[in-house]
PDB file of all heavy atoms in Angstrom:
ATOM      1  N   ARG K 798      18.654   1.564   9.555  1.00  0.00           N
ATOM      2  CA  ARG K 798      19.568   2.708   9.635  1.00  0.00           C
ATOM      3  C   ARG K 798      19.999   2.935  11.092  1.00  0.00           C
ATOM      4  O   ARG K 798      21.175   3.124  11.375  1.00  0.00           O
ATOM      5  CB  ARG K 798      18.861   3.943   9.051  1.00  0.00           C
ATOM      6  CG  ARG K 798      19.622   5.227   9.077  1.00  0.00           C
ATOM      7  CD  ARG K 798      20.858   5.229   8.231  1.00  0.00           C
ATOM      8  NE  ARG K 798      20.610   5.486   6.821  1.00  0.00           N
ATOM      9  CZ  ARG K 798      21.540   5.291   5.874  1.00  0.00           C
ATOM     10  NH1 ARG K 798      22.740   4.850   6.192  1.00  0.00           N
ATOM     11  NH2 ARG K 798      21.268   5.518   4.616  1.00  0.00           N
ATOM     12  N   VAL K 799      19.026   2.876  11.990  1.00  0.00           N
ATOM     13  CA  VAL K 799      19.368   3.145  13.388  1.00  0.00           C
ATOM     14  C   VAL K 799      20.190   1.995  13.983  1.00  0.00           C
ATOM     15  O   VAL K 799      21.226   2.210  14.598  1.00  0.00           O
ATOM     16  CB  VAL K 799      18.090   3.395  14.217  1.00  0.00           C
ATOM     17  CG1 VAL K 799      18.412   3.429  15.699  1.00  0.00           C
ATOM     18  CG2 VAL K 799      17.435   4.692  13.801  1.00  0.00           C
ATOM     19  N   CYS K 800      19.722   0.770  13.764  1.00  0.00           N
ATOM     20  CA  CYS K 800      20.378  -0.369  14.419  1.00  0.00           C
ATOM     21  C   CYS K 800      21.770  -0.635  13.883  1.00  0.00           C
ATOM     22  O   CYS K 800      22.678  -0.980  14.628  1.00  0.00           O
ATOM     23  CB  CYS K 800      19.551  -1.629  14.231  1.00  0.00           C
ATOM     24  SG  CYS K 800      18.207  -1.749  15.357  1.00  0.00           S
ATOM     25  N   PHE K 801      21.925  -0.557  12.578  1.00  0.00           N
ATOM     26  CA  PHE K 801      23.186  -1.018  12.008  1.00  0.00           C
ATOM     27  C   PHE K 801      24.124   0.108  11.610  1.00  0.00           C
ATOM     28  O   PHE K 801      25.300  -0.128  11.378  1.00  0.00           O
ATOM     29  CB  PHE K 801      22.919  -1.899  10.789  1.00  0.00           C
ATOM     30  CG  PHE K 801      22.430  -3.265  11.152  1.00  0.00           C
ATOM     31  CD1 PHE K 801      21.091  -3.543  11.201  1.00  0.00           C
ATOM     32  CD2 PHE K 801      23.328  -4.264  11.481  1.00  0.00           C
ATOM     33  CE1 PHE K 801      20.644  -4.803  11.552  1.00  0.00           C
ATOM     34  CE2 PHE K 801      22.894  -5.520  11.832  1.00  0.00           C
ATOM     35  CZ  PHE K 801      21.549  -5.782  11.870  1.00  0.00           C
ATOM     36  N   ASP K 802      23.579   1.322  11.466  1.00  0.00           N
ATOM     37  CA  ASP K 802      24.437   2.387  10.966  1.00  0.00           C
ATOM     38  C   ASP K 802      24.684   3.443  12.038  1.00  0.00           C
ATOM     39  O   ASP K 802      25.825   3.757  12.355  1.00  0.00           O
ATOM     40  CB  ASP K 802      23.779   3.010   9.724  1.00  0.00           C
ATOM     41  CG  ASP K 802      24.729   3.963   9.023  1.00  0.00           C
ATOM     42  OD1 ASP K 802      25.947   3.802   9.202  1.00  0.00           O
ATOM     43  OD2 ASP K 802      24.254   4.849   8.300  1.00  0.00           O
ATOM     44  N   LEU K 803      23.614   3.979  12.627  1.00  0.00           N
ATOM     45  CA  LEU K 803      23.795   5.088  13.565  1.00  0.00           C
ATOM     46  C   LEU K 803      24.308   4.597  14.916  1.00  0.00           C
ATOM     47  O   LEU K 803      25.101   5.285  15.568  1.00  0.00           O
ATOM     48  CB  LEU K 803      22.471   5.838  13.755  1.00  0.00           C
ATOM     49  CG  LEU K 803      21.901   6.441  12.476  1.00  0.00           C
ATOM     50  CD1 LEU K 803      20.672   7.260  12.781  1.00  0.00           C
ATOM     51  CD2 LEU K 803      22.927   7.295  11.772  1.00  0.00           C
ATOM     52  N   LEU K 804      23.857   3.436  15.350  1.00  0.00           N
ATOM     53  CA  LEU K 804      24.358   2.897  16.619  1.00  0.00           C
ATOM     54  C   LEU K 804      25.606   2.065  16.332  1.00  0.00           C
ATOM     55  O   LEU K 804      25.651   1.329  15.347  1.00  0.00           O
ATOM     56  CB  LEU K 804      23.294   2.018  17.275  1.00  0.00           C
ATOM     57  CG  LEU K 804      22.148   2.773  17.929  1.00  0.00           C
ATOM     58  CD1 LEU K 804      21.010   1.834  18.253  1.00  0.00           C
ATOM     59  CD2 LEU K 804      22.625   3.452  19.188  1.00  0.00           C
ATOM     60  N   ASP K 805      26.591   2.185  17.205  1.00  0.00           N
ATOM     61  CA  ASP K 805      27.811   1.445  16.912  1.00  0.00           C
ATOM     62  C   ASP K 805      27.884   0.144  17.686  1.00  0.00           C
ATOM     63  O   ASP K 805      28.848  -0.599  17.551  1.00  0.00           O
ATOM     64  CB  ASP K 805      29.052   2.301  17.181  1.00  0.00           C
ATOM     65  CG  ASP K 805      29.189   2.608  18.652  1.00  0.00           C
ATOM     66  OD1 ASP K 805      28.143   2.615  19.331  1.00  0.00           O
ATOM     67  OD2 ASP K 805      30.317   2.838  19.114  1.00  0.00           O
ATOM     68  N   LEU K 806      26.880  -0.145  18.529  1.00  0.00           N
ATOM     69  CA  LEU K 806      26.905  -1.438  19.199  1.00  0.00           C
ATOM     70  C   LEU K 806      25.516  -2.057  19.128  1.00  0.00           C
ATOM     71  O   LEU K 806      24.525  -1.355  18.939  1.00  0.00           O
ATOM     72  CB  LEU K 806      27.371  -1.322  20.648  1.00  0.00           C
ATOM     73  CG  LEU K 806      26.359  -0.881  21.713  1.00  0.00           C
ATOM     74  CD1 LEU K 806      26.954  -1.088  23.073  1.00  0.00           C
ATOM     75  CD2 LEU K 806      25.947   0.540  21.520  1.00  0.00           C
ATOM     76  N   ARG K 807      25.470  -3.363  19.225  1.00  0.00           N
ATOM     77  CA  ARG K 807      24.200  -4.071  19.217  1.00  0.00           C
ATOM     78  C   ARG K 807      24.239  -5.092  20.351  1.00  0.00           C
ATOM     79  O   ARG K 807      25.238  -5.776  20.529  1.00  0.00           O
ATOM     80  CB  ARG K 807      24.009  -4.774  17.878  1.00  0.00           C
ATOM     81  CG  ARG K 807      23.517  -3.869  16.789  1.00  0.00           C
ATOM     82  CD  ARG K 807      23.776  -4.424  15.424  1.00  0.00           C
ATOM     83  NE  ARG K 807      25.175  -4.375  15.062  1.00  0.00           N
ATOM     84  CZ  ARG K 807      25.811  -3.266  14.675  1.00  0.00           C
ATOM     85  NH1 ARG K 807      25.149  -2.138  14.580  1.00  0.00           N
ATOM     86  NH2 ARG K 807      27.083  -3.283  14.371  1.00  0.00           N
ATOM     87  N   LEU K 808      23.180  -5.138  21.116  1.00  0.00           N
ATOM     88  CA  LEU K 808      23.140  -6.077  22.239  1.00  0.00           C
ATOM     89  C   LEU K 808      22.295  -7.285  21.864  1.00  0.00           C
ATOM     90  O   LEU K 808      21.361  -7.167  21.069  1.00  0.00           O
ATOM     91  CB  LEU K 808      22.548  -5.389  23.465  1.00  0.00           C
ATOM     92  CG  LEU K 808      23.287  -4.129  23.898  1.00  0.00           C
ATOM     93  CD1 LEU K 808      22.599  -3.500  25.091  1.00  0.00           C
ATOM     94  CD2 LEU K 808      24.729  -4.450  24.240  1.00  0.00           C
ATOM     95  N   TRP K 809      22.616  -8.414  22.473  1.00  0.00           N
ATOM     96  CA  TRP K 809      21.915  -9.637  22.061  1.00  0.00           C
ATOM     97  C   TRP K 809      20.425  -9.561  22.335  1.00  0.00           C
ATOM     98  O   TRP K 809      19.605 -10.058  21.580  1.00  0.00           O
ATOM     99  CB  TRP K 809      22.537 -10.868  22.720  1.00  0.00           C
ATOM    100  CG  TRP K 809      22.359 -10.917  24.216  1.00  0.00           C
ATOM    101  CD1 TRP K 809      23.221 -10.407  25.132  1.00  0.00           C
ATOM    102  CD2 TRP K 809      21.276 -11.481  24.936  1.00  0.00           C
ATOM    103  NE1 TRP K 809      22.730 -10.608  26.389  1.00  0.00           N
ATOM    104  CE2 TRP K 809      21.547 -11.274  26.309  1.00  0.00           C
ATOM    105  CE3 TRP K 809      20.106 -12.151  24.570  1.00  0.00           C
ATOM    106  CZ2 TRP K 809      20.676 -11.697  27.302  1.00  0.00           C
ATOM    107  CZ3 TRP K 809      19.246 -12.564  25.563  1.00  0.00           C
ATOM    108  CH2 TRP K 809      19.528 -12.348  26.912  1.00  0.00           C
ATOM    109  N   TRP K 810      20.048  -8.899  23.447  1.00  0.00           N
ATOM    110  CA  TRP K 810      18.608  -8.929  23.772  1.00  0.00           C
ATOM    111  C   TRP K 810      17.793  -8.052  22.843  1.00  0.00           C
ATOM    112  O   TRP K 810      16.589  -8.241  22.725  1.00  0.00           O
ATOM    113  CB  TRP K 810      18.367  -8.597  25.242  1.00  0.00           C
ATOM    114  CG  TRP K 810      18.722  -7.211  25.678  1.00  0.00           C
ATOM    115  CD1 TRP K 810      19.883  -6.805  26.239  1.00  0.00           C
ATOM    116  CD2 TRP K 810      17.901  -6.047  25.595  1.00  0.00           C
ATOM    117  NE1 TRP K 810      19.845  -5.468  26.510  1.00  0.00           N
ATOM    118  CE2 TRP K 810      18.636  -4.980  26.126  1.00  0.00           C
ATOM    119  CE3 TRP K 810      16.605  -5.805  25.122  1.00  0.00           C
ATOM    120  CZ2 TRP K 810      18.139  -3.679  26.189  1.00  0.00           C
ATOM    121  CZ3 TRP K 810      16.103  -4.513  25.192  1.00  0.00           C
ATOM    122  CH2 TRP K 810      16.881  -3.476  25.725  1.00  0.00           C
ATOM    123  N   TRP K 811      18.430  -7.121  22.134  1.00  0.00           N
ATOM    124  CA  TRP K 811      17.677  -6.387  21.102  1.00  0.00           C
ATOM    125  C   TRP K 811      17.198  -7.360  20.048  1.00  0.00           C
ATOM    126  O   TRP K 811      16.060  -7.300  19.599  1.00  0.00           O
ATOM    127  CB  TRP K 811      18.543  -5.344  20.396  1.00  0.00           C
ATOM    128  CG  TRP K 811      19.114  -4.300  21.258  1.00  0.00           C
ATOM    129  CD1 TRP K 811      18.990  -4.164  22.606  1.00  0.00           C
ATOM    130  CD2 TRP K 811      19.947  -3.231  20.822  1.00  0.00           C
ATOM    131  NE1 TRP K 811      19.681  -3.084  23.026  1.00  0.00           N
ATOM    132  CE2 TRP K 811      20.283  -2.482  21.960  1.00  0.00           C
ATOM    133  CE3 TRP K 811      20.436  -2.834  19.578  1.00  0.00           C
ATOM    134  CZ2 TRP K 811      21.091  -1.366  21.891  1.00  0.00           C
ATOM    135  CZ3 TRP K 811      21.235  -1.721  19.503  1.00  0.00           C
ATOM    136  CH2 TRP K 811      21.555  -0.991  20.658  1.00  0.00           C
ATOM    137  N   GLY K 812      18.103  -8.250  19.657  1.00  0.00           N
ATOM    138  CA  GLY K 812      17.750  -9.248  18.651  1.00  0.00           C
ATOM    139  C   GLY K 812      16.602 -10.113  19.120  1.00  0.00           C
ATOM    140  O   GLY K 812      15.638 -10.358  18.384  1.00  0.00           O
ATOM    141  N   VAL K 813      16.694 -10.557  20.394  1.00  0.00           N
ATOM    142  CA  VAL K 813      15.634 -11.418  20.929  1.00  0.00           C
ATOM    143  C   VAL K 813      14.311 -10.673  20.955  1.00  0.00           C
ATOM    144  O   VAL K 813      13.266 -11.217  20.576  1.00  0.00           O
ATOM    145  CB  VAL K 813      16.019 -11.912  22.336  1.00  0.00           C
ATOM    146  CG1 VAL K 813      14.876 -12.679  22.950  1.00  0.00           C
ATOM    147  CG2 VAL K 813      17.256 -12.780  22.259  1.00  0.00           C
ATOM    148  N   LEU K 814      14.364  -9.395  21.356  1.00  0.00           N
ATOM    149  CA  LEU K 814      13.131  -8.602  21.404  1.00  0.00           C
ATOM    150  C   LEU K 814      12.534  -8.460  20.004  1.00  0.00           C
ATOM    151  O   LEU K 814      11.326  -8.655  19.799  1.00  0.00           O
ATOM    152  CB  LEU K 814      13.435  -7.224  22.002  1.00  0.00           C
ATOM    153  CG  LEU K 814      12.228  -6.316  22.167  1.00  0.00           C
ATOM    154  CD1 LEU K 814      11.268  -6.897  23.178  1.00  0.00           C
ATOM    155  CD2 LEU K 814      12.656  -4.919  22.592  1.00  0.00           C
ATOM    156  N   LEU K 815      13.399  -8.125  19.038  1.00  0.00           N
ATOM    157  CA  LEU K 815      12.907  -7.967  17.659  1.00  0.00           C
ATOM    158  C   LEU K 815      12.304  -9.267  17.148  1.00  0.00           C
ATOM    159  O   LEU K 815      11.239  -9.269  16.528  1.00  0.00           O
ATOM    160  CB  LEU K 815      14.065  -7.558  16.743  1.00  0.00           C
ATOM    161  CG  LEU K 815      14.475  -6.097  16.751  1.00  0.00           C
ATOM    162  CD1 LEU K 815      15.777  -5.915  15.990  1.00  0.00           C
ATOM    163  CD2 LEU K 815      13.397  -5.254  16.101  1.00  0.00           C
ATOM    164  N   ILE K 816      12.984 -10.379  17.422  1.00  0.00           N
ATOM    165  CA  ILE K 816      12.478 -11.676  16.950  1.00  0.00           C
ATOM    166  C   ILE K 816      11.134 -11.971  17.605  1.00  0.00           C
ATOM    167  O   ILE K 816      10.182 -12.386  16.941  1.00  0.00           O
ATOM    168  CB  ILE K 816      13.490 -12.789  17.264  1.00  0.00           C
ATOM    169  CG1 ILE K 816      14.720 -12.645  16.384  1.00  0.00           C
ATOM    170  CG2 ILE K 816      12.864 -14.156  17.044  1.00  0.00           C
ATOM    171  CD1 ILE K 816      15.815 -13.639  16.692  1.00  0.00           C
ATOM    172  N   ALA K 817      11.059 -11.726  18.928  1.00  0.00           N
ATOM    173  CA  ALA K 817       9.820 -12.047  19.638  1.00  0.00           C
ATOM    174  C   ALA K 817       8.666 -11.205  19.100  1.00  0.00           C
ATOM    175  O   ALA K 817       7.611 -11.743  18.739  1.00  0.00           O
ATOM    176  CB  ALA K 817      10.005 -11.809  21.135  1.00  0.00           C
ATOM    177  N   VAL K 818       8.874  -9.893  19.011  1.00  0.00           N
ATOM    178  CA  VAL K 818       7.799  -9.027  18.516  1.00  0.00           C
ATOM    179  C   VAL K 818       7.453  -9.404  17.079  1.00  0.00           C
ATOM    180  O   VAL K 818       6.282  -9.493  16.699  1.00  0.00           O
ATOM    181  CB  VAL K 818       8.237  -7.547  18.592  1.00  0.00           C
ATOM    182  CG1 VAL K 818       7.181  -6.668  17.985  1.00  0.00           C
ATOM    183  CG2 VAL K 818       8.480  -7.148  20.020  1.00  0.00           C
ATOM    184  N   GLY K 819       8.492  -9.673  16.290  1.00  0.00           N
ATOM    185  CA  GLY K 819       8.276  -9.976  14.879  1.00  0.00           C
ATOM    186  C   GLY K 819       7.465 -11.243  14.701  1.00  0.00           C
ATOM    187  O   GLY K 819       6.494 -11.275  13.946  1.00  0.00           O
ATOM    188  N   VAL K 820       7.836 -12.271  15.433  1.00  0.00           N
ATOM    189  CA  VAL K 820       7.181 -13.548  15.186  1.00  0.00           C
ATOM    190  C   VAL K 820       5.739 -13.522  15.709  1.00  0.00           C
ATOM    191  O   VAL K 820       4.830 -14.073  15.082  1.00  0.00           O
ATOM    192  CB  VAL K 820       8.032 -14.695  15.763  1.00  0.00           C
ATOM    193  CG1 VAL K 820       7.624 -15.095  17.131  1.00  0.00           C
ATOM    194  CG2 VAL K 820       7.984 -15.897  14.863  1.00  0.00           C
ATOM    195  N   VAL K 821       5.522 -12.819  16.816  1.00  0.00           N
ATOM    196  CA  VAL K 821       4.144 -12.702  17.317  1.00  0.00           C
ATOM    197  C   VAL K 821       3.301 -11.902  16.327  1.00  0.00           C
ATOM    198  O   VAL K 821       2.163 -12.272  16.008  1.00  0.00           O
ATOM    199  CB  VAL K 821       4.143 -12.042  18.714  1.00  0.00           C
ATOM    200  CG1 VAL K 821       2.738 -11.686  19.129  1.00  0.00           C
ATOM    201  CG2 VAL K 821       4.755 -12.975  19.728  1.00  0.00           C
ATOM    202  N   THR K 822       3.878 -10.809  15.803  1.00  0.00           N
ATOM    203  CA  THR K 822       3.159 -10.010  14.814  1.00  0.00           C
ATOM    204  C   THR K 822       2.821 -10.848  13.590  1.00  0.00           C
ATOM    205  O   THR K 822       1.705 -10.790  13.061  1.00  0.00           O
ATOM    206  CB  THR K 822       4.014  -8.809  14.392  1.00  0.00           C
ATOM    207  OG1 THR K 822       4.356  -8.073  15.545  1.00  0.00           O
ATOM    208  CG2 THR K 822       3.277  -7.922  13.431  1.00  0.00           C
TER     209      THR K 822
END
Side-chain angles (χ1 to χ4, degrees):
Chain K
R798 178 65 82 192
V799 170
C800 279
F801 285 94
D802 190 24
L803 300 185
L804 285 167
D805 66 334
L806 81 169
R807 279 160 288 283
L808 303 178
W809 67 269
W810 65 265
W811 300 1
V813 174
L814 183 65
L815 280 170
I816 290 176
V818 176
V820 95
V821 170
T822 304

